[in-house]
Amino acid sequence: MSHFFTSESVTEGHPDKLCDQISDAILDEALRQDPGTHLGCECLATTGLVVVAGEMRTSGYIPIAKIARQIVKEIGYDDAIYGFDCNACAVIVTVGEQSADIALGVDESTNKTKEQGAGDQGLMFGFACDETPELMPLPISLAHGLTKKLTEMRKNGSLTYLRPDGKSQVTIQYSDDGRPERIECVVISTQHAEDVTHEQICADIKKYVIEPVCGKYLDAQTKYHINPTGRFVIGGPPGDCGLTGRKIIVDTYGGYSRHGGGAFSGKDPSKVDRSAAYAARWVAKNVVKAGLARKCEVQVAYAIGVAAPVSVHVETFGTGKVSDRIIEKAVTQVFDLRPAAIIRDLDLLKPQYRALAAYGHMGREDLGVKWEVCDRVDALMKAI
């Protein structure tokens, strides 16, 4: 039978995404000065206040408060009329040193096996499917497209009444064989100036945002909910307290695939919550690109201080051309999933993370990230 699936996205001005971008901008600057930086950086934003907390080990000097204000400004909160002002908000910084106990297992020089161990225990998932050119699920791909378009319309001046905060949600109807057919429902909530009418917002958003992004999948039965409460003037941190790491499903596959639970933003790549999730996506995408399956989910798991994964699992949901165990064996032969190898192969010490902190970490071919490159297809086929 046909079924529906829904995913959501949020704009860069959403309070949680504001915090993710501050955390990752701090990481980028730390890696720019010292590629050996170890960082766990969390951010909270509420009315008139940004708090940055965490642990750091670096040889550089990181102007945390300055970076936080700059990100708030670049997103668009640069006037009190928007409810949040980069120049007027307070910034509190409480960042200490990384635990020496954690460093013992992570650092190659102190690890008992003399190789870089995982920064924590945990399980991570990666996923790919053939629903879109970038091999992402269609619901999250379209949801991100809508929030990107909202931001574009705001920043280029096309819709001057738009403000930074916003959300989208897309419901796709799938056929009996699991293929996406049409959009059942689109939901968009966007912060706006007080003097614009609800009717104008609905007409403009449908014409300039929804139709350009989703036109191929819209039909006469598609339902639209645009600012369904009728008013969204108070947004950003004054509307809802923001926190780093609270939009992990937006960051990955929109709920279409499983998630290990660990957030990405503010964590250096020695933390497998981040690096192994990227690696698992890289593996899954290569499997699908190789034509070995229409859908592929990869799970990897680690023990703190231990380099080799404790497990690698492949699931193709009945779409595999060969058995999942054969694909799994090929994956372990072709991909080195130890933390140091992941960091090397995916170039994870390069400052690149602030750009990923909004509109998803996966499927970002627009950013040229290495975990989106299908460079192991031939090796996988040979191993199979």
Side-chain angles (χ1 to χ4, degrees), residues 123-329:
L123 50 133
M124 299 83 207
F125 287 94
F127 181 77
C129 63
D130 63 358
E131 294 180 10
T132 63
E134 68 274 19
L135 304 185
M136 286 287 286
L138 183 61
I140 189 66
S141 181
L142 291 178
H144 284 323
L146 290 170
T147 51
K148 286 180 182 178
K149 197 68 173 177
L150 272 178
T151 299
E152 178 188 331
M153 293 292 101
R154 172 175 63 89
K155 289 190 168 181
N156 69 17
S158 297
L159 298 176
T160 57
Y161 57 80
L162 292 181
R163 299 293 182 256
D165 198 355
K167 292 183 175 183
S168 71
Q169 190 170 281
V170 178
T171 301
I172 297 292
Q173 181 175 347
Y174 285 83
S175 63
D176 293 348
D177 64 350
R179 297 288 187 181
E181 291 185 316
R182 56 178 290 274
I183 293 176
E184 168 69 11
C185 183
V186 179
V187 182
I188 288 191
S189 295
T190 180
Q191 186 186 9
H192 58 85
E194 194 159 10
D195 58 356
V196 64
T197 67
H198 182 64
E199 291 72 22
Q200 183 180 350
I201 293 171
C202 290
D204 287 346
I205 295 302
K206 188 174 180 181
K207 180 178 180 180
Y208 297 111
V209 177
I210 297 174
E211 290 177 357
V213 173
C214 302
K216 176 181 176 182
Y217 296 97
L218 301 172
D219 60 26
Q221 284 71 50
T222 299
K223 303 177 184 68
Y224 301 91
H225 298 289
I226 299 170
N227 279 17
T229 67
R231 177 181 167 89
F232 188 1
V233 173
I234 301 171
D240 189 14
C241 179
L243 290 169
T244 297
R246 199 160 61 175
K247 281 288 178 282
I248 58 175
I249 302 303
V250 172
D251 286 342
T252 52
Y253 309 102
Y256 197 103
S257 173
R258 287 175 283 194
H259 195 292
F264 302 153
S265 291
K267 296 177 180 177
D268 75 84
S270 72
K271 295 168 177 60
V272 284
D273 279 341
R274 176 166 229 158
S275 55
Y278 293 162
R281 161 66 178 169
W282 181 41
V283 173
K285 189 171 183 180
N286 273 269
V287 169
V288 174
K289 188 70 173 179
L292 293 171
R294 278 177 44 207
K295 298 180 181 180
C296 180
E297 182 182 79
V298 176
Q299 186 204 51
V300 288
Y302 294 86
I304 188 168
V306 180
V310 298
S311 69
V312 177
H313 177 75
V314 171
E315 170 67 62
T316 64
F317 309 97
T319 70
K321 299 295 179 63
V322 296
S323 83
D324 291 352
R325 303 291 75 79
I326 290 175
I327 297 174
E328 194 174 274
K329 184 177 180 181

